[in-house]
Amino acid sequence: MVYVLNHEGKPLMPTTRYGHVRRLLKTGQAKVKYGNPFTIQLCYKTEDKVQPVILGIDPGRTNIGLCAVTDDGTALFAAKIITRNKDIPRLMRKRKQFRQKHRQVKRRLKRRRRAKKNNTILKTGILQRHLTGYSKDKCVTVHDIRNKQSRFSNRCRSPNWLTPTANQLLQTHINAVNKISKYLPVSGISIELNKFAMMKLDDSTIFGKDFQNGPLKGYGKDIHQAVSDIQDGKCLLCGKSIAEYHHVRTRSKDGSNTIGNLVGLCHECHKKVHTDESVKQQLATVNSGFRTKYDALGVLNQILPYVINILRRKYPLHITTGYETSRVRKTANLLKDHHVDAHLIAISGLNVKRIITIDHCYAIKQFRRHDRQACKREMLNRRYYLGNQLVATNRHKAFEQTTDSLADYITNGGRADHLTVKHITRAMTDKKRFMPGCQAGNKTILKRAEGNYWFDDGSKTTCKKTLINKRNAGLVFVSNL
């Protein structure tokens, strides 16, 4: 398909008349707007008569299927989107580490103590520091974070609040619809809505009132006793009596304190798990208790009502179920894929007797558009030099520091009156650097490392020799995933 835009940039119906498109480009009556997918824009006015186009959406956490069809079921566009939803928790943890590091360092308190020691703090109602070399009128207010009473009114979340992971996935679905609407005159949306019962996924015999009975029924809050009964009071690895309980996925890595994530071990096996990597790998096979078991389904349950409400305001909406999609796919003897399911979802509200699929499926990858992280490395060490020779690092040894500290240097007979101190400045990120997702010619940058760019076609070039012609647009068409 060659996708067509009118002279104002609004989408028209696509065409397969390649000869006509070639003549329009040669005579200057059209120009190339996008290279992937190949899209032209007309340079003259036309009657904007279009047919109804239904966009089918197969929602997902990691993969999203899209397919646009006409009212007779002919597929005009098919794509599979790879989201970056799994990156959000990692980035949130990274941000948390930076914030905690700033608080642990307590630079403001150190400046305040240093000012008190040097008698540069004025004794007034407001903490002010007198700058050396200036008059007493030239002062800087010493800002400090003091403990205050909790203001719970400022911590209230709105009723429609979503977690960062869920909110990012919600925006991805909406942005995907807006992205396709730039190439095709979408007039309606068809989406699959499923509500997953997590307990029934574990036990298919659950029915009715059984959903009210959790795994701890009859145990109260005694999780250890429930785990012991499940294992018959025996160690999971050697069969001895249970002495201790171990989290399969540690609490520091978001492991849950549930039956599935707890195993009973004897004292010897518990010690081996924390010291012997092979025993740890053996226990890792007991992964049924990981809290992330149904994360994808849980996030979809959370965001789909929001997706439907947002799309319903702009498009006529048809909702189908996964059972109906599976039934039609098996009847038509089609392979299961995200864009194939999206095609079946798109025609679910149409009276289609014959399914006309499309041969080509576009690959769309989601990239991070911004990186607001200003600091790349903290570089907090303080270095002491005797002339040009480095003799000590930090006043006292930091965590995992192997070199001598200033205290060690003085203990070993060194003199501190001739030393010069140098604070290492933090390593900052370049805000003008090109993020993955930018385009160089017809190639898309997938990643950057060691001064090189890796492209979606498998090639690699140095950053200095690469000419970027288009910045990152979030959802980017790539040649392959």
Side-chain angles (χ1 to χ4, degrees), residues 1-4 13-18 20-21 40:
M1 291 288 180
V2 176
Y3 302 96
V4 184
M13 297 303 293
T15 181
T16 55
R17 299 170 59 191
Y18 308 124
H20 182 61
V21 171
I40 64 171

Side-chain angles (χ1 to χ4, degrees), residues 53-108:
V53 176
I54 307 299
L55 178 63
I57 304 175
D58 181 26
R61 182 193 180 195
T62 306
N63 301 285
I64 302 174
L66 298 175
C67 186
V69 300
T70 58
D71 53 359
D72 62 352
T74 304
L76 303 176
F77 175 89
K80 182 171 70 173
I81 300 178
I82 302 296
T83 70
R84 50 182 294 269
N85 195 253
K86 292 183 178 180
D87 295 339
I88 305 303
R90 176 180 58 82
L91 294 174
M92 295 294 292
R93 288 193 297 268
K94 188 176 181 181
R95 188 183 73 170
K96 180 181 178 181
Q97 292 174 358
F98 272 99
R99 294 175 67 181
Q100 289 179 340
K101 189 67 176 178
H102 282 291
R103 292 170 181 168
Q104 291 170 0
V105 171
K106 299 180 180 179
R107 289 178 175 170
R108 289 178 177 175

Side-chain angles (χ1 to χ4, degrees), residues 88-298:
I88 305 303
R90 176 180 58 82
L91 294 174
M92 295 294 292
R93 288 193 297 268
K94 188 176 181 181
R95 188 183 73 170
K96 180 181 178 181
Q97 292 174 358
F98 272 99
R99 294 175 67 181
Q100 289 179 340
K101 189 67 176 178
H102 282 291
R103 292 170 181 168
Q104 291 170 0
V105 171
K106 299 180 180 179
R107 289 178 175 170
R108 289 178 177 175
L109 294 178
K110 288 183 178 179
R111 293 195 194 104
R112 183 176 169 182
R113 288 196 300 267
R114 194 179 305 118
K116 282 184 177 181
K117 181 179 178 181
N118 297 329
N119 295 320
T120 57
I121 287 186
L122 303 180
K123 296 181 180 180
T124 60
I126 303 176
L127 290 175
Q128 290 184 328
R129 182 180 177 186
H130 173 60
L131 300 179
T132 305
Y134 292 87
S135 63
K136 290 188 176 181
D137 297 334
K138 184 68 174 179
C139 299
V140 176
T141 302
V142 180
H143 296 283
D144 193 9
I145 300 176
R146 297 188 181 94
N147 294 326
K148 296 182 179 180
Q149 185 178 2
S150 300
R151 299 181 181 180
F152 294 99
S153 59
N154 296 338
R155 300 182 182 184
C156 294
R157 292 171 176 169
S158 62
N160 297 328
W161 181 85
L162 293 172
T163 63
T165 306
N167 186 66
Q168 195 270 346
L169 188 60
L170 167 64
Q171 293 299 325
T172 300
H173 283 79
I174 303 304
N175 292 341
V177 175
N178 296 334
K179 182 83 171 179
I180 306 307
S181 299
K182 295 181 180 180
Y183 301 93
L184 290 169
V186 178
S187 58
I189 301 290
S190 183
I191 190 170
E192 182 181 273
L193 175 62
N194 294 311
K195 294 183 178 180
F196 303 97
M198 308 305 177
M199 293 180 65
K200 201 171 185 64
L201 292 175
D202 286 328
D203 186 1
S204 60
T205 61
I206 292 179
F207 180 76
K209 295 182 179 180
D210 294 336
F211 284 98
Q212 302 176 10
N213 302 328
L216 290 178
K217 182 181 179 181
Y219 292 97
K221 296 183 179 180
D222 193 354
I223 300 177
H224 291 172
Q225 184 60 41
V227 174
S228 178
D229 290 348
I230 292 174
Q231 298 180 198
D232 294 329
K234 298 179 180 179
C235 174
L236 192 64
L237 296 178
C238 66
K240 296 180 181 179
S241 298
I242 294 177
E244 299 170 357
Y245 294 88
H246 172 75
H247 290 86
V248 179
R249 181 166 184 156
T250 60
R251 300 300 299 274
S252 62
K253 295 183 179 180
D254 296 336
S256 59
N257 192 33
T258 57
I259 289 180
N261 196 38
L262 281 172
V263 293
L265 301 173
C266 65
H267 179 72
E268 292 77 10
C269 291
H270 195 192
K271 184 177 180 179
K272 290 180 181 178
V273 168
H274 289 282
T275 57
D276 192 342
E277 189 66 26
S278 61
V279 179
K280 183 178 179 180
Q281 293 295 330
Q282 180 183 354
L283 187 63
T285 57
V286 188
N287 59 358
S288 60
F290 281 7
R291 189 172 61 87
T292 57
K293 185 176 182 180
Y294 296 126
D295 268 9
L297 305 183

